[in-house]
Amino acid sequence: MDENLTKDSDVARDRLTLDITDLKERIEECRSDDPAWRELSLSGKIRALLVKQLETLEKQKKSPANESKGK
């Protein structure tokens, strides 16, 4: 039972409140041509965008072209 309490508190620490007033419409419309996008909750859309951008940045960081630019 204590294990579940620990997991719940870990989840609570990883959540945050974020003001997206100026971004909400842009988020909703960025993939509006995709029916699956329209079905996602706003938090799901934000998470999907973050994951995609992180993957892109991680690929760029690992790219050999970027390594040669630094030399």
Side-chain angles (χ1 to χ4, degrees):
M1 186 179 239
D2 290 339
E3 184 177 320
N4 288 335
L5 292 174
T6 302
K7 289 180 183 178
D8 289 344
S9 66
D10 288 343
V11 169
R13 272 186 278 171
D14 290 341
R15 294 181 182 263
L16 60 103
T17 301
L18 181 65
D19 181 5
I20 58 158
T21 304
D22 58 331
L23 301 173
K24 185 177 178 182
E25 188 175 329
R26 290 173 63 191
I27 292 167
E28 293 286 354
E29 295 298 321
C30 73
R31 294 186 186 166
S32 61
D33 57 331
D34 181 357
W37 185 255
R38 291 191 300 262
E39 296 298 319
L40 282 174
S41 65
L42 182 58
S43 62
K45 291 172 184 171
I46 293 168
R47 183 169 168 75
L49 291 172
L50 283 170
V51 168
K52 179 66 174 170
Q53 184 62 23
L54 286 170
E55 289 172 351
T56 300
L57 292 170
E58 289 166 350
K59 285 178 187 175
Q60 288 175 353
K61 189 175 181 179
K62 292 178 183 177
S63 171
N66 284 340
E67 290 176 14
S68 63
K69 287 180 185 178
K71 294 181 181 179

